[in-house]
Amino acid sequence: MSSDNVKDQEQKALDEATMLATRLLGTSVDDASTTLINQAESRPGCLLVDVAMVLTIMNKESIEKKSHRQAMARAARAAIKNLVEVPSDG
């Protein structure tokens, strides 16, 4: 894979993370929390990646929004709990 291709993929991932951060941070904490918890149940692995990316952007840009951070942490814990549970056969 060429270095230009890698740079293009990195930029695409950063752009997607920035759009996600804008979408989550541009809503109320309740709306963001609902969205995140739904994702924790339906796509727990993807949610963990998304939360990590958004928090990284928030840290880089010095965005406080403590309530949004707490909502992301709650959703991440729910996603981990969902991933750890062993599915039942019934």
Side-chain angles (χ1 to χ4, degrees):
M1 193 178 284
S2 73
S3 64
D4 287 340
N5 194 9
V6 170
K7 287 179 185 178
D8 288 343
Q9 287 181 343
E10 289 173 353
Q11 186 60 49
K12 183 180 176 185
L14 179 60
D15 291 344
E16 288 176 12
T18 301
M19 286 188 301
L20 176 62
T22 300
R23 212 169 48 242
L24 284 175
L25 300 176
T27 64
S28 70
V29 174
D30 289 337
D31 288 345
S33 182
T34 299
T35 298
L36 292 165
I37 291 297
N38 287 338
Q39 288 182 358
E41 293 171 3
S42 63
R43 319 171 28 234
C46 293
L47 173 91
L48 292 172
V49 171
D50 290 348
V51 165
M53 291 170 41
V54 171
L55 289 172
T56 300
I57 289 170
M58 290 177 74
N59 290 341
K60 183 178 178 188
E61 301 295 323
S62 299
I63 300 169
E64 289 190 31
K65 293 213 174 199
K66 186 175 179 180
S67 297
H68 281 76
R69 288 176 181 269
Q70 291 171 338
M72 285 185 254
R74 279 191 302 274
R77 285 190 294 273
I80 290 169
K81 182 179 175 184
N82 191 328
L83 288 170
V84 171
E85 291 177 0
V86 177
S88 62
D89 289 340

